[in-house]
Amino acid sequence: MTFRAWLAANYSIPARIVAVIGALASAWGLVVAVGDMDGENPVSWLMFLGPALAGAFPTLELAWRRGHDLSMATVKPRWFIFPLFGALGAVVAMGVAEIVMRASGEIAAAQAADKWHYWFAVDGPQVVSVLFGLLGYGAGLLLAVVFYVVVLWPLQIILRPRQAIAENMMDTSEANFRRNRIALALMPLIVIGAVAMAIGFTQGIGWLAVLATAVEVALVVTAVVLQKIDKKRRAETGAVSD
C-alpha cells in the first residue's frame, strides 16, 4: 500500500475536521496570548493544545472504528504521522496570525509594555508559531500514547481480549487465555509506574521513587512470568530466534 492509499484509508473525515479545528484554535490561542502578559489565560494554551488534540484524535478514534485493530503496526504510524499534520496546520494558522499582528504592531506594543512578556519576551524566540507548533507535535504524540494506554488498551482487553492476545503474538490457546489476559492487563499499569518513577526521580520525591520502582519491578516480573508467547509467529516476524 502506498503512503497516499494508507492516508486515504486511515485519515478519516472526522480526524481531518478535528485537525482544521485544532489549527484554528491554535491561531486563536496565539491572538489571545498577545494580551496574556503573565501567561495566566488558559485560552493561550491552545497554541499547543490545538495541534496536540488534532494529532491525538486519530489514535482515540480507533476505539470506535471498524476492525478495532490496535496492533503496533496500526497504531505506531498514527502516533508519529498524524501529530505532524496537526502541528503543520497549526504552524500555518499561527504563522498567518503572527504576521498580521507583527505588521499591525500589536506584538511590538505588548513587548514594549512588558519586555518579560510570558509568551513574547523581547529576548525570546522571534517566530513563536514554529516553536509552539513543534511543542504541539510532541504533546500530540504523548497524548496519543496516553489515549492508547489509558483508554484503548483497557477497552481491548475487556471487550476483545482474544484479539488483543493475537495482535501481541501471544499463545491464543484456551489453556493460556486467562494468564495472557492478565499479563496484558498489567501493561497500562507498567506504563503508569514508569511515569511515576520518572516523576519521583526527577522531582526528588524519594518515597515515590522507591515505591514506584518496587511496584514497577513486581509488575514487570509478574507480566513476564504470566505471558505465554506464540514462538512460531514471533520467529516468523524475527521477534525471537528459532
Side-chain angles (χ1 to χ4, degrees), residues 18 23 54-55 83 125 138 141 199 201 217-218 220 224 239:
V18 171
L141 196 156
I199 294 174
F201 283 112
V217 171
V220 171
V224 171

Side-chain angles (χ1 to χ4, degrees), residues 110-127:
Q111 291 175 326
D114 183 0
K115 68 177 183 178
W116 306 114
H117 192 293
Y118 189 84
W119 303 107
F120 295 92
V122 173
D123 60 349
Q126 295 301 305
V127 187

Side-chain angles (χ1 to χ4, degrees), residues 188-206:
L189 299 178
I190 290 173
V191 174
I192 294 172
V195 173
M197 284 175 56
I199 294 174
F201 283 112
T202 58
Q203 299 300 315
I205 307 174

Side-chain angles (χ1 to χ4, degrees), residues 48-68:
F48 51 88
L49 289 181
L53 291 172
F57 180 82
T59 294
L60 180 61
E61 72 173 351
L62 287 175
W64 59 81
R65 290 196 72 182
R66 182 178 300 175
H68 306 289

Side-chain angles (χ1 to χ4, degrees), residues 133-219:
L134 292 174
L135 182 59
Y137 173 77
L141 196 156
L142 291 175
L143 189 58
V145 174
V146 169
F147 282 158
Y148 178 78
V149 172
V150 177
V151 179
L152 300 184
W153 189 276
L155 279 178
Q156 188 83 326
I157 295 170
I158 294 171
L159 302 178
R160 295 172 292 276
R162 297 183 189 282
Q163 182 178 343
I165 290 171
E167 287 176 354
N168 285 275
M169 291 188 288
M170 290 179 167
D171 183 8
T172 56
S173 68
E174 194 63 34
N176 292 314
F177 170 74
R178 181 173 297 180
R179 61 187 301 152
N180 278 338
R181 189 180 190 184
I182 295 174
L184 288 177
L186 293 177
M187 297 305 176
L189 299 178
I190 290 173
V191 174
I192 294 172
V195 173
M197 284 175 56
I199 294 174
F201 283 112
T202 58
Q203 299 300 315
I205 307 174
W207 67 267
L208 178 60
V210 173
L211 178 61
T213 300
V215 172
E216 185 76 354
V217 171
L219 288 173

